[in-house]
Amino acid sequence: KNQVEQSPQSLIILEGKNCTLQCNYTVSPFSNLRWYKQDTGRGPVSLTIMTFSENTKSNGRYTATLDADTKQSSLHITASQLSDSASYICVVSSDRGSTLGRLYFGRGTQLTVWP
Amino acid sequence: DSGVTQTPKHLITATGQRVTLRCSPRSGDLSVYWYQQSLDQGLQFLIQYYNGEERAKGNILERFSAQQFPDLHSELNLSSLELGDSALYFCASSLESEPGELFFGEGSRLTVL
């Protein structure tokens, strides 16, 4: 069964600290993995996309990693800011050759940054 | 601003009623997706349209229906509403039929009393 599991479910950190969010998936065949940031009551916004051949990709203070062998991804946030408080959603895309080319959503990690 | 427009932003209605949510995709995007997000829940895929045709169907109830019009805007119709239908409904668009990057609207918050 194609699934995306994220951990932790929620996380509280102090402003300026770093944190790492995890995403494990069983989606096959794999096409790509995206991390989205969703502010409360707002629509998700894409942060990064990882394809099969990519191990690391950065977007400012956000760095995503992908281990396609173990089917794990992480999102590392450095020097956290209050504005980083949001839900971070891992979305895995199945290969274009599959019947539907479906997207599989994790339930998200709720990050709260305290001053 | 993602370029995806959803209306209304907020809607309060009673059980048993019917509502219509509207979505205008980004200029040039041919695919529209509808998602439901209940309180503290993840995004649940409802349905996808590509260039006017239904492309994929997820966990959409029979009481719900959708369509995409020739101008590519889409409407999600929710009928015989129940308390449990209260949620944020997101529309997203993408250029192609196969899901690439999705651009989400700001959502329509439906409250059923």
Side-chain angles (χ1 to χ4, degrees):
Chain A
K1 182 179 179 181
N2 291 319
Q3 286 185 314
V4 178
E5 300 286 342
Q6 291 188 243
S7 62
Q9 185 175 358
S10 62
L11 181 62
I12 300 174
I13 62 173
L14 294 177
E15 187 178 14
K17 298 297 185 182
N18 304 334
C19 67
T20 300
L21 315 179
Q22 298 289 344
C23 174
N24 297 337
Y25 62 93
T26 59
V27 176
S28 181
F30 172 87
S31 178
N32 60 65
L33 183 151
R34 291 182 184 272
W35 284 94
Y36 284 82
K37 177 187 179 187
Q38 184 180 20
D39 292 319
T40 301
R42 308 290 297 275
V45 176
S46 178
L47 292 174
T48 66
I49 176 173
M50 306 289 290
T51 58
F52 187 86
S53 59
E54 295 176 306
N55 299 118
T56 303
K57 183 173 285 186
S58 292
N59 177 4
R61 295 180 297 102
Y62 301 102
T63 299
T65 66
L66 175 66
D67 185 332
D69 292 330
T70 62
K71 297 187 177 182
Q72 295 180 328
S73 177
S74 66
L75 181 68
H76 186 73
I77 304 174
T78 59
S80 61
Q81 300 176 358
L82 299 179
S83 59
D84 292 331
S85 294
S87 179
Y88 291 83
I89 303 169
C90 176
V91 182
V92 180
S93 176
S94 185
D95 189 84
R96 286 171 175 260
S98 64
T99 303
L100 292 177
R102 287 281 305 276
L103 291 173
Y104 298 87
F105 283 73
R107 295 187 60 169
T109 292
Q110 181 64 46
L111 174 66
T112 303
V113 181
W114 283 2
Chain B
D1 182 4
S2 67
V4 178
T5 303
Q6 288 188 248
T7 57
K9 289 189 182 338
H10 302 276
L11 190 55
I12 301 174
T13 189
T15 54
Q17 294 299 305
R18 171 190 171 94
V19 299
T20 297
L21 310 181
R22 180 187 169 100
C23 170
S24 295
R26 277 191 334 156
S27 177
D29 283 356
L30 300 178
S31 268
V32 170
Y33 304 74
W34 286 98
Y35 291 88
Q36 179 192 56
Q37 187 175 43
S38 301
L39 188 63
D40 294 332
Q41 298 292 314
L43 288 159
Q44 299 294 319
F45 170 66
L46 296 178
I47 197 165
Q48 177 203 357
Y49 280 83
Y50 174 73
N51 204 21
E53 300 290 328
E54 183 182 303
R55 180 81 174 94
K57 184 176 284 190
N59 301 320
I60 187 167
L61 300 172
E62 287 191 7
R63 299 183 286 108
F64 297 179
S65 65
Q67 55 184 326
Q68 186 179 30
F69 295 87
D71 66 353
L72 300 178
H73 90 271
S74 178
E75 292 182 356
L76 178 67
N77 301 297
L78 316 174
S79 61
S80 301
L81 286 169
E82 302 174 359
L83 295 178
D85 296 328
S86 296
L88 263 171
Y89 291 85
F90 286 103
C91 168
S93 73
S94 70
L95 176 61
E96 300 170 340
S97 61
E98 299 298 328
E101 180 175 359
L102 296 184
F103 295 87
F104 285 84
E106 292 300 298
S108 292
R109 181 175 293 281
L110 173 65
T111 302
V112 182
L113 301 177

